[in-house]
Amino acid sequence: MNYSAAIRRALCALAVAALPVAPAHAVQAPSDADPRPFVLAVDAGHGGRDIGCSSGANKEKDITLDVARRFGKLVNDAFADSVKVVMTRDDDVFVSLDRRAACANDAAADLFVSIHVNSLDRRTKGRRAVHGASVYTVGLHKTEANLAVAMRENAVIELEDDYSETYHGFDPNSSESYIIFELSQHSNMERSLDFASMAQAELIATAGRADKGVRQAGFLVLWATRMPAVLVELDFICNPEAERFLASSKGRQSCAEALFKAFSAYRRKTLTHIIQS
């Protein structure tokens, strides 16, 4: 790899980026003087012509939308007066990565949660045995496996018209393009990691998922947001047992409840910190 040339290209991309890393959005505690609710952006991964991962009749886009709706309903039912839930999609429609981030940014969201299902290439040995949940924040690719997941999720931009122009030459399949994530640190990393840790713990305790850990990788949809943001991989649809879990109403509800419990704890911690400061 020619790192000098790649870095020059990355710096040029950052200079004119359509996805600027904006200053952190300040979370505000509700009060009589300031009735602004906590805004939660829930992003159901994939949709429309982008089915995501699949196994048999089960498609990632359907699983993520169902879990997102259930998660949103739990939040709405519990915090109707103090939390506003914004869905990046609430139907089987295609939404580009930049529009997903823009939806959260335009709503001045305080937290962004993107919901996905994992898988491995069909040529990968042991793909039917791999299982477990992971929660990602934006960051450096510590392993090839993390980079592979980011490449798969970012590849959806190839379904967009003029994606090369929109993302200023970013190639989701080229490791060179990911140098931009080494040149730009996410301003909300600490709070993103806080929620990621809480969500990961609940996916294990509440949803019964195996622990694949909290990770970092260069997801475009996270990099483009202005608030704490995570991408959740619920489990591996290429594993028959995990697929049955993800296809079931009970499994999807338990995933939604895990995210809800994590959100409740994160919101409580965030508001407590603001009040004390």
Side-chain angles (χ1 to χ4, degrees):
M1 179 189 300
N2 184 338
Y3 280 95
S4 295
I7 289 173
R8 284 197 299 271
R9 287 195 294 272
L11 287 171
C12 289
L14 286 173
V16 295
L19 303 175
V21 179
H25 171 65
V27 180
Q28 302 177 27
S31 68
D32 292 337
D34 179 16
R36 180 188 181 278
F38 187 108
V39 181
L40 169 65
V42 181
D43 176 47
H46 307 278
R49 63 182 183 273
D50 171 27
I51 68 171
C53 305
S54 64
S55 181
N58 296 301
K59 301 178 178 65
E60 180 178 5
K61 67 173 185 176
D62 300 325
I63 296 169
T64 61
L65 181 58
D66 192 15
V67 172
R69 285 172 170 168
R70 291 169 186 261
F71 176 32
K73 184 178 187 304
L74 288 170
V75 174
N76 280 326
D77 289 347
F79 304 110
D81 297 327
S82 58
V83 177
K84 177 182 178 181
V85 177
V86 174
M87 302 283 288
T88 62
R89 72 177 179 99
D90 196 23
D91 206 345
D92 184 19
V93 295
F94 177 79
V95 183
S96 66
L97 295 185
D98 66 319
R99 284 307 310 157
R100 292 171 188 269
C103 178
N105 291 339
D106 292 346
D110 298 297
L111 179 66
F112 177 86
V113 181
S114 187
I115 302 172
H116 291 258
V117 171
N118 217 337
S119 188
L120 293 178
D121 186 274
R122 294 183 182 279
R123 296 167 294 183
T124 303
K125 184 178 180 180
R127 68 186 298 270
R128 291 173 61 83
V130 66
H131 63 288
S134 296
V135 182
Y136 285 83
T137 64
V138 72
L140 307 186
H141 308 290
K142 304 296 184 182
T143 67
E144 288 297 319
N146 291 7
L147 176 60
V149 173
M151 283 184 166
R152 176 170 57 78
E153 298 293 0
N154 290 340
V156 66
I157 68 174
E158 294 176 326
L159 296 178
E160 301 176 27
D161 296 331
D162 302 322
Y163 79 86
S164 183
E165 180 178 348
T166 301
Y167 300 95
H168 291 272
F170 182 90
D171 180 357
N173 302 306
S174 169
S175 57
E176 283 189 358
S177 287
Y178 289 84
I179 291 175
I180 61 175
F181 296 105
E182 298 181 30
L183 301 176
S184 176
Q185 291 298 310
H186 198 290
S187 59
N188 292 298
M189 181 61 72
E190 183 177 351
R191 283 183 290 164
S192 296
L193 286 170
D194 270 352
F195 179 77
S197 298
M198 294 173 184
Q200 184 67 19
E202 290 296 343
L203 285 167
I204 298 165
T206 300
R209 300 302 85 201
D211 186 8
K212 298 294 284 185
V214 172
R215 305 184 177 199
Q216 292 182 323
F219 294 100
L220 282 172
V221 72
L222 300 185
W223 183 61
T225 58
R226 301 173 185 166
M227 70 290 304
V230 303
L231 187 145
V232 180
E233 296 281 4
L234 298 172
D235 211 325
F236 287 80
I237 198 172
C238 53
N239 177 300
E241 184 178 347
E243 179 192 359
R244 286 191 292 272
F245 172 84
L246 294 168
S248 69
S249 177
K250 181 179 179 180
R252 296 178 186 187
Q253 185 66 21
S254 68
C255 287
E257 289 174 358
L259 295 177
F260 169 72
K261 289 180 180 180
F263 170 74
S264 299
Y266 174 83
R267 178 177 176 275
R268 183 167 57 250
K269 178 180 178 180
T270 300
L271 296 181
T272 299
H273 175 74
I274 291 173
I275 293 170
Q276 291 177 344
S277 62

